[in-house]
Structures are given as structure tokens and as C-alpha cells.
Amino acid sequence: MSEERNIQNGTAENHAENRGKAMIHLEKLSKTFPGTDEPAVEELTMEIYEGETVVFVGPSGCGKTTTMKMINRIIEPTSGRIFIKGEDVTDANPDTLRRNIGYVIQQIGLFPHMTLADNVATVPKMLGWDKNRVSERTKELMELVSIPASYGSRYPKELSGGQKQRVGVARAMAADPPIMLMDEPFGAVDPITRDRLQDEFLRIQEDIRKTIIFVTHDIDEAIKMGDRIAILQERSVIAQYDTPERILTDPASDFVEDFIGSGASLKRLSLSKVGDIDPANWPVASLEDSHDDARRKMRESGKEHVLLLDGERKPRRWVSMADIEQNGVPLKEAGWPAIAIVEARASLYDTLDTMITSYKGSAIVVDDDGRYQGVVDFETVLASIEDMRPQDANRPDKTQRDVTR
Amino acid sequence: MRTPEQTRPEEKTRPPQSEAVETKSGTSSKPGGGGPTSSLPYKLARYLTMPIILAGVCIALYLWVSSQTLDSIEARNLNAELIVEKLVRHLEITVIATIAVVALAVSAGVILTRPAMRRVSPYIVAVASTGQAMPSIGVIVLIAVLLNQFGFTIAIVALVITAFLPVLRNTMVGIQQVDQSVIEAGRGMGMTKRAVLWKIELPLAIPIMLAGIRTALIIVVGTAALATFINAGGMGDFINTGIKLSRETILITGSVLTAVLALSVDYVAGIAEDVLRPKGL
């Protein structure tokens, strides 16, 4: 266990070099609730970088909400330190601290006796903004979350669940806090509304680039919303803290695999890039090669076709053995033109789509300049999907790779 | 104001069930029309029915008394000047006692709902309950005898004890039933504990608190009729005189007017409840 945590720390440090500076740094944060012996959160250390959305995900009771609530100290940590922008805020005035941290909860918690405008204006008013600025900001935010500004004088009970949560998000963003904490914000709305709220939120986040901590128990939501995902297990121990792609491709433990669930491969198809999978061993030849060379390469590979590249290594034509046997036809004109070309950046999902509509059920992977990189066919994709499935057999390998990373 | 235990996820959606029961018993005097029905004719009918009935009763009483031949004792008692004087006295007792109850019981209710007091609050509520459990006449006379003092002030003290519980309990229930997520949202946005109390908890507790205050008011206005036994005046004087001197006209007039007064006060309190309830609830 401790070894695993070290690995995670190692990963986080790598990220620190690659990305911006740490916005939130938690150091050995622990929480033991009075009257219990088991800590709810135990010595959690993690970093969250400026402008990224980090999703805390884990089974219920794993302490993810407790962890999040310790950041704005709605729950006071038993031990450990909290740093925001490098400043130790563990003992700072919690009210002042919270005015700079947006807070959205599942139950929304709009003030039922206040109008929507007053709800949204809560924090700006506390910060002493003047009236005009408050009302301007309120209107701007209502527009941002697609609530007509004319609704400002309405009361929360007049809104639908989805509208309420939009107002809840607007209220949390009112004073433009650099950090937002969101506790299952879309958990209480129907699936269609949730999907729309998620999309809207992603769109907003693209513009505002806040540092967001998002708590959910839904791995699909985590994959969709997160720049990075922290999968937490009992006592908020980090099982894996990485990008959605990495977590799906390379779960760090059985726990993570179990948590991702059986749909992992399909989920991953839209996240993993075709350039990342090992291409099939297809024979390639140059347009300038002789018929004999092409024939030999095909025989050696055991395949029925060979791909011909031009001088710039761009895929040109597929030829079969039969095409080559027609000695009179130069390779340049033999076979059929190479279609079903995908860029290495394309997702596996799109690649599969291309392959299904292509003639021989394969796709040619090229780099940004259109140069040949490899060929993928159903078998290679299947093999990589196979590889994504939780399998105890390859567990030692993965751990090894983790260590050397 | 929020202990960590309170914010544990398991507890945050806990419905205040046991308290809901209390709420009902505490607000038993709530009129049937307290719902959100708001069509104008309905409203008008609701607001006009009671005054019309009460005015009818008063007119009937006046006509009945006028039709009687009054002896000197009755004539001395049943004149406008004396009735108004007793009425004013009765209202004075009622208003002052109610204000005192509200001031004391609401403060107590706020204090007892603070987390620090959570452990002792059941005991204090139990003590307050005895005030209501004891017969009002017993409380009034006992206090007068114990302090060996009679009159206005003692009447007020006794009435405050009698009517303390409904306001205290409804204040507590009103504050406790405020959705925890609303409070958490407020605290999470950086509202101070004090701001949460004044801007969230108390406004959201108002409907239930008002119901308790209205109950207290009715208890006070009715029980104030007993103030006559410790020489504090009020409408009870007529009833007392009527019984002692066997003058039915005085007794009936006193009783009916006391009842009319109580119903009028309840009526006004009902309107106040409607007006003071925060919008959006």
C-alpha cells in the first residue's frame, strides 16, 4: 500500500514539472470524526494545479466528500496542512477563506426566501461590492448559465431541478473565485438534464479555467469532467491519481479496475488514441520496389495484401498477391488506392468507425504530415481492447511498469 | 455553529421527523385556510367571515342586555366606560405578557439550538413544559402566594410562565427544521455564524415561530381572565363579579366579551401570520 502511494506521489511530481503551479496542496491531511476510531481520511497528500479539474471519485463512504470539505474547512482537519497558492490556510479565518472558494453541493441549498438575484449576489454583497457592480455581475452570470435575466426576481421554488442547479453554479461563481468545490453537483437531476449540465459546465470551464475539485461516485462522470481523476478508496487513500486515459488504460490496482467496471474498454475507446496502440504487422513496400520484393514481403508476413508507400512514406495503394502475379501491371497501378486513413491523434472509437466502413476492415495510421505509421485492423484493436480489460494475469507487469515510470 | 459530526454525509439529509410531530401539536391553532390558496374571493371571504360573526355576537349581546331590566349592581357594572376600562386593562396584560414571552422564549430558543447547548436543551424544554402542564389558575395563584404579592406585575410573570413553552418549542423546531443544505451552502460561501442565524435560520423559522407566538397569544388572552383572582383587573372582573353576586347578566356579558376579545386577537394574529411569512416559502 505505502509503495503504491509513493508511486502516486511520483506521478504527481512529474505533473508538477509539466503543468502550471500547484493551486492546492494537501499535506498529510487526516480527519477522525469524534466518537470514531477509524479515520475518515488518513494522511492524504496531493497537489491540484491551477486551472485543472480534478475529480474525486470512489465508492460511498470512502471519504471523498470529507476530503473536499476540508479544503474550505467546512470540516476541520484533525491533522495535516492545507496550502492554497502556497499559503498555509489551515488556521486562516474560515469565513474569509470560503469567500474565495466557490461551493456547489448536490442539494444546491438555494436560499428559498431570497430571490434568484439575491441568491447569486450573496458573496459579492458580503465582499462589499457596490450595487451596480453586483447587479451587473448577477445578470452576466444568469446569462452564462442560461437562465433568463428576467428570472432574477423569482424565488427558487419556481424553478426546475436543473435550473436550480444552474443558479447554484452561478452563485458559486459570483465573486469569480479561483477555486470551485463541487460536491456531486449534478447528482440530483435526471440523466438527460445531467448530461446537458455537464456539457454546459465543460463549455463554461473552457473559458474560465478555474481550479475545480469535483466529487462524484460516477466513474463515467469523472471520465467526462476530469482533467485528472483521483480514485479514492477507504480512508481517502489514493488508489490512482492520473488522467482519465491513463486510469482506463493502466489501472494501478485491482481496486481501480473493479471501480472502473466492465465497461472500461468501451469507455476508453473514445479516450485512447489510435497512435497509442501497437499497429498490426502489415507488410509495406515502396512503389519503386520490384514485384519480387513485394511478393517476398507478403509471403514473409503471411498476409494477403501489402501496402505500398511513395517516396515520402505516404500510403498509396494496397496490392494483393493476385495483383502482383499480373506481371505486366506496374505496382503503381496495381491493386486499389489506399483509403481509410486515420491520423494518430484519432480516437479508437473513430478509428473503429472508419474501419467498419472501409473495404478490408483495416485503417492506415498516419502522422500529422500524412506519413505512414502503421496499420490497425480489427485484431489489433481487439487486442488492445483485450489489454484494457481487468486481468489478474498481467498485474505484475503493470506494477513493474508503474515503478519504472 | 456546525459541528463536524453534523456535516457528515450520512446525516446531511436527515429529515426532522420527530420534530415534525411536535410542530403539529405546537401549531394546533393554525386555521384551515393557511394553505397557499390565493384567489381573491376566497381571501376576502376568509378575512371577512370572522369580523362579521364577532360583530353579530356583540350586537346580539347588546340587544339582549338592553332588553333586560338592570338593578343597581348590574347597571354599575354594565356601562361602556367600565367595560372599556377593563377591556384596555385586559389588552395591556395580554400585550405586555406576550411581548415578554416572545422576547424571552425566542432568545431562549435561539440559544438552545446552538450546537454548544444541544446537550442541555432537552432538560430546559422539560422545565418549560411544566409551565404549560400546570393549570393556569394554579400558576397564577401559587406565584402570588409564594411571592406574597398581588397585582399587575405578578399576573404578567404568571402568564409568561404559562405561555412560554409554545414559543420556545416552535422557535427551536422552526430553527431545527431549516434544511441543513441551505445552512451548509451559506457557511460554505463564507457567511458568518451570526449571518447564517439572522439571514437564513430565523427568516426560514418565521412561519413556525409565528404559529407558536399565535398559540401563546391565545393562551395569554384567555388566561388573563384569571388575573382577576390576584387583583390584576381585566375582563375576568366581570365574570368574577357575576358569579360572586349571582348576576347572570354581568356573568354572561363578561364571558361573551372575553370570548369575543380572544377570537378577535386570534383573528388579528392570523392576519399578521399571513403578512409576516417570508415570500418564496
Side-chain angles (χ1 to χ4, degrees), chain B residues 17 172 264:
Chain B
Q17 269 174 350
M172 293 178 69
S264 312

Short mmCIF file of all heavy atoms in Angstrom, two decimals, chain B residues 17 172 264:
data_model
loop_
_atom_site.label_atom_id
_atom_site.label_comp_id
_atom_site.label_asym_id
_atom_site.label_seq_id
_atom_site.Cartn_x
_atom_site.Cartn_y
_atom_site.Cartn_z
N GLN B 17 -38.01 14.20 11.60
CA GLN B 17 -39.32 13.58 11.74
C GLN B 17 -39.95 13.82 13.10
O GLN B 17 -41.08 14.25 13.21
CB GLN B 17 -39.20 12.07 11.49
CG GLN B 17 -39.44 11.74 10.03
CD GLN B 17 -39.18 10.29 9.75
OE1 GLN B 17 -38.65 9.57 10.58
NE2 GLN B 17 -39.56 9.86 8.58
N MET B 172 -37.50 26.60 18.48
CA MET B 172 -36.48 25.55 18.33
C MET B 172 -36.78 24.68 17.12
O MET B 172 -35.90 24.41 16.30
CB MET B 172 -36.41 24.70 19.60
CG MET B 172 -35.88 25.48 20.79
SD MET B 172 -35.85 24.49 22.30
CE MET B 172 -34.56 23.32 21.88
N SER B 264 -61.02 37.85 18.54
CA SER B 264 -60.53 38.99 17.75
C SER B 264 -59.01 38.99 17.72
O SER B 264 -58.38 39.22 16.68
CB SER B 264 -61.01 40.32 18.35
OG SER B 264 -62.37 40.26 18.60
#
